[in-house]
Amino acid sequence: MQILDTVAGLNIDGLTLVAYCAAIVVLLLLFWLMYRIVLWAKNMPKGAFIMLAVFPLISLFPIPHQEIKKIERIKQQEIKAEDESGEPPV
């Protein structure tokens, strides 16, 4: 038996309802965390500068060439598998 047959006129089973609630909780937690970071940055400007200096460094690390080759090979295999199966493209 489903936990709730209808919610606001929509058929939503229990698992979907749990997933929606979990997504809402995660979003609220994310907004709260960002709010706390802003408050911390206002009180600790030196720490905020350090944090702002560290975050862009994450994007400086290059993706290894081997990983790029793996991804390209996987894409080619997927294209070949779709061509062999004869299914129309989606």
Side-chain angles (χ1 to χ4, degrees):
M1 183 172 166
Q2 294 177 348
I3 295 174
L4 294 173
D5 290 332
T6 58
V7 174
L10 302 172
N11 280 336
I12 299 176
D13 63 354
L15 187 61
T16 306
L17 184 62
V18 170
Y20 287 142
C21 290
I24 290 171
V25 168
V26 167
L27 285 174
L28 289 175
L29 183 63
L30 183 66
F31 286 132
W32 178 80
L33 184 62
M34 291 188 323
Y35 175 74
R36 295 294 298 171
I37 288 174
V38 168
L39 289 181
W40 173 78
K42 286 182 178 180
N43 293 330
M44 304 262 315
K46 289 182 183 178
F49 285 130
I50 292 171
M51 185 177 67
L52 289 173
V54 169
F55 279 131
L57 292 177
I58 296 170
S59 65
L60 292 178
F61 295 113
I63 299 173
H65 189 64
Q66 297 166 345
E67 294 298 320
I68 294 173
K69 283 185 175 183
K70 282 183 191 177
I71 293 171
E72 289 176 357
R73 187 174 54 233
I74 291 170
K75 286 181 182 178
Q76 290 297 329
Q77 289 174 351
E78 288 177 356
I79 292 171
K80 187 184 281 187
E82 287 177 3
D83 290 343
E84 291 175 356
S85 67
E87 295 179 5
V90 179

